[in-house]
Amino acid sequence: MYLIFSSEEAAWSRSEQEGISIGLSYHTQGKGTRYVTAPQETVDGLWALDVDYYDLDESEASTVVSSFTPKPIPEDS
């Protein structure tokens, strides 16, 4: 399941919010893991965040999508 965000910053912010909620070490000890998952850019310039194990509120749960098309990674020449 993915939440789609209009900006990379918003997606990182939501990942950090979840990290705070579950008590990741960065937020409890000042070191270690800060984010739960990393956002991925979509083909249409939005940002997808894997939220399979997030505690979603009702509005978030109603907007999740099952898949997205990632932005292609350019091949080195």
Side-chain angles (χ1 to χ4, degrees):
M1 296 187 313
Y2 300 91
L3 284 175
I4 305 298
F5 295 87
S6 59
S7 72
E8 182 179 17
E9 295 78 17
W12 279 115
S13 178
R14 179 61 182 92
S15 184
E16 183 172 23
Q17 177 185 20
E18 190 69 13
I20 292 167
S21 176
I22 64 174
L24 291 181
S25 62
Y26 179 88
H27 304 289
T28 60
Q29 301 170 12
K31 59 185 177 183
T33 303
R34 179 177 183 173
Y35 303 102
V36 177
T37 54
Q40 298 175 22
E41 190 170 8
T42 69
V43 72
D44 52 356
L46 299 174
W47 293 86
L49 188 64
D50 182 350
V51 294
D52 278 338
Y53 302 103
Y54 282 40
D55 184 20
L56 303 176
D57 64 27
E58 283 186 35
S59 67
E60 288 176 323
S62 69
T63 63
V64 295
V65 296
S66 60
S67 65
F68 71 96
T69 304
K71 181 178 179 179
I73 299 172
E75 293 184 28
D76 291 336
S77 304

